[in-house]
Amino acid sequence: MLAAGCAPGPVESQAKPGGRSFTVAAAGDVLIHPELVDQAAKDAEKTGEGEAGLDFGPMLAGLEPVISKADLGICHMETPVGEPEGPFEGYPEFLVPPQVLTALKDVGYDTCSTASNHTFDHGLKAVRRTLDTMDEVGLGHSGSARTPKEAEQITIRNVKGVKVAHLSYSWESFLNPTPEKERWAFNRLSTDAIKKAEARARKQGAEVVILSLHWGLEHYNEPSVPQMQLADRITKETGIDLVIGHHAHVVQPIQKLNGTWVAYSLGNQVARHSSPTGLTEEGAIGWFEFRETAGGWDVAARYRTTLVDIPPEVETGEQVPEGAVQDHRLVDVRQVLDEPGELSEDRLARYRLAADRTRGFLFNRGLREATASPSSPSGRERRHSTLHSGGRNPGVIEKSQ
């Protein structure tokens, strides 16, 4: 697991007999660009599934073996959704197909943060449509609201007998700021607001509080000074149990700060920017294991590297070269490297690069890897552990301890 040191801390040594435990899987930005809508249309033609000619299932299927094994799956739905038949829009004012929400639910997500700089791209009507659709498909949500009354509510879920609250806050868009009369509809990033929300959550019985933050600077693999200052305040002045960061569109470090894990940015979960950088296609699934102790909760942090495969651009009528990526697909990098099949060495090199870079960025604020531990059926030493569920091995979660 990701940890600040190898030796167990004082809380870890006070395991509560019969204490409860649960796992959380959280990932980065869900940002549906036009090329991904085209892919969903192409997949719908092949599968005959989806709705209104769009099927995001094949694109996101690589997530299911990991996300579905978590007791709580948290995604970040960065943009509002439109009607199933469209029209849809990309950057800078996103309006994306609601069909992606069904696919997110199908791979195992339970709830999503919705506070971002794109929340109000199409006003309150789109905010309401988005939350209505999430309700319809069975996804929880936190970060935006349809009414002033809903804005005061705290999202609390029962996770294996533990009451877990999820809060979501973001900086506000300069392009589409929330109108003054509708400021209640969007959770504006503020330490005081977060403190008050946590207090309400605790008063309502929350035993664990998880905070999603849309913050920082885009395309920087290091957190900004304001990010670090805010993280320090939150981890010192609140009882927040875990901070999950978004917005940078690239992976940033994960750090245990004042006793609390802060994932500054998990990168993109799925996106296809108009000018892909390579880094914008790499992401991480944060895997957090909560264990009840005599003094509260011990949280172990792990991660899983992901990569969005992007086909090469070809002229109309041309064929994608043999052996190249054919479709936009969200790839579980560890799974592919463990079972490469007949993939070319060039493809495998790309996945190795994603794994190496993600590990480097995640550990870039002082964390270090411990010696590898044997966990492979073949007895080889690896830097990951096996995640088991009902006797079925869904893959391994990379770790350091």
Side-chain angles (χ1 to χ4, degrees):
M1 62 184 166
L2 291 167
C6 296
V11 174
E12 294 174 317
S13 64
Q14 301 173 15
K16 184 175 181 178
R20 297 164 296 172
S21 64
F22 64 96
T23 55
V24 176
D29 304 316
V30 175
L31 195 57
I32 305 301
H33 292 93
E35 293 85 352
L36 300 183
V37 179
D38 293 341
Q39 181 66 62
K42 177 181 175 182
D43 286 331
E45 289 183 6
K46 293 179 180 179
T47 66
E49 298 181 4
E51 180 186 0
L54 296 176
D55 182 7
F56 287 90
M59 190 187 307
L60 302 182
L63 290 173
E64 193 273 340
V66 177
I67 301 299
S68 66
K69 298 304 177 291
D71 298 310
L72 177 63
I74 302 176
C75 74
H76 179 53
M77 188 61 195
E78 184 167 356
T79 61
V81 303
E83 300 290 348
E85 298 82 10
F88 308 120
E89 296 182 34
Y91 181 83
E93 297 178 305
F94 284 90
L95 192 66
V96 308
Q99 293 89 323
V100 70
L101 296 174
T102 300
L104 290 169
K105 178 65 176 178
D106 287 347
V107 299
Y109 282 112
D110 300 293
T111 192
C112 302
S113 52
T114 58
S116 84
N117 59 307
H118 289 291
T119 300
F120 248 73
D121 276 1
H122 290 267
L124 184 58
K125 182 178 180 180
V127 171
R128 287 173 168 158
R129 183 193 304 116
T130 301
L131 301 186
D132 286 347
T133 306
M134 295 176 85
D135 287 345
E136 290 171 9
V137 303
L139 280 172
H141 43 80
S142 175
S144 53
R146 289 163 285 201
T147 65
K149 182 178 179 180
E150 183 177 44
E152 293 299 314
Q153 297 174 359
I154 302 292
T155 300
I156 300 179
R157 305 180 73 88
N158 187 314
V159 183
K160 292 185 68 178
V162 181
K163 291 184 177 179
V164 180
H166 180 216
L167 310 177
S168 169
Y169 286 81
S170 171
W171 65 277
E172 189 170 28
S173 169
F174 299 111
L175 182 62
N176 291 298
T178 310
E180 186 64 34
K181 64 180 181 179
E182 296 169 350
R183 290 181 70 82
W184 48 263
F186 169 76
N187 285 356
R188 216 162 274 91
L189 185 52
S190 154
T191 306
D192 289 340
I194 291 169
K195 287 181 179 179
K196 291 176 182 178
E198 187 210 356
R200 293 203 308 275
R202 301 291 184 188
K203 188 175 182 179
Q204 294 175 30
E207 300 167 89
V208 169
V209 179
I210 298 173
L211 172 64
S212 292
L213 291 179
H214 199 82
W215 60 349
L217 299 174
E218 291 184 337
H219 307 295
Y220 283 82
N221 290 105
E222 271 292 293
S224 65
V225 171
Q227 262 181 290
M228 292 187 287
Q229 291 173 336
L230 180 57
D232 187 57
R233 284 195 65 185
I234 289 171
T235 55
K236 280 182 178 177
E237 300 175 17
T238 77
I240 298 293
D241 297 281
L242 172 64
V243 179
I244 304 167
H246 308 98
H247 177 62
H249 304 306
V250 294
V251 174
Q252 293 180 342
I254 181 170
Q255 178 182 24
K256 201 166 194 179
L257 187 63
N258 301 313
T260 301
W261 285 109
V262 177
Y264 288 99
S265 171
L266 294 171
N268 283 328
Q269 173 79 111
V270 60
R272 204 294 188 185
H273 294 265
S274 58
S275 297
T277 67
L279 295 174
T280 53
E281 289 67 65
E282 298 168 4
I285 299 171
W287 182 273
F288 304 95
E289 300 173 358
F290 285 74
R291 181 167 56 90
E292 192 174 18
T293 69
W297 294 92
D298 173 52
V299 184
R302 303 182 181 186
Y303 72 98
R304 188 82 170 197
T305 301
T306 61
L307 177 72
V308 179
D309 266 343
I310 295 182
E313 295 184 4
V314 296
E315 298 295 332
T316 303
E318 290 184 348
Q319 297 295 317
V320 174
E322 185 177 353
V325 171
Q326 300 292 314
D327 298 289
H328 292 85
R329 292 289 184 263
L330 186 50
V331 176
D332 176 350
V333 170
R334 184 72 262 161
Q335 183 66 29
V336 172
L337 291 178
D338 282 348
E339 301 176 12
E342 298 181 356
L343 286 178
S344 69
E345 185 56 35
D346 285 346
R347 292 276 297 279
L348 292 174
R350 178 65 184 96
Y351 297 133
R352 293 189 195 103
L353 176 62
D356 290 344
R357 285 202 297 208
T358 298
R359 182 168 57 247
F361 292 133
L362 287 175
F363 283 79
N364 208 28
R365 295 208 63 78
L367 294 178
R368 64 182 179 84
E369 293 183 86
T371 55
S373 58
S375 62
S376 162
S378 66
R380 290 180 296 147
E381 291 191 340
R382 295 180 176 174
R383 288 187 176 90
H384 19 85
S385 66
T386 304
L387 173 65
H388 292 283
S389 178
R392 177 175 176 266
N393 179 6
V396 289
I397 301 292
E398 295 143 273
K399 74 173 186 178
S400 175
Q401 59 186 9

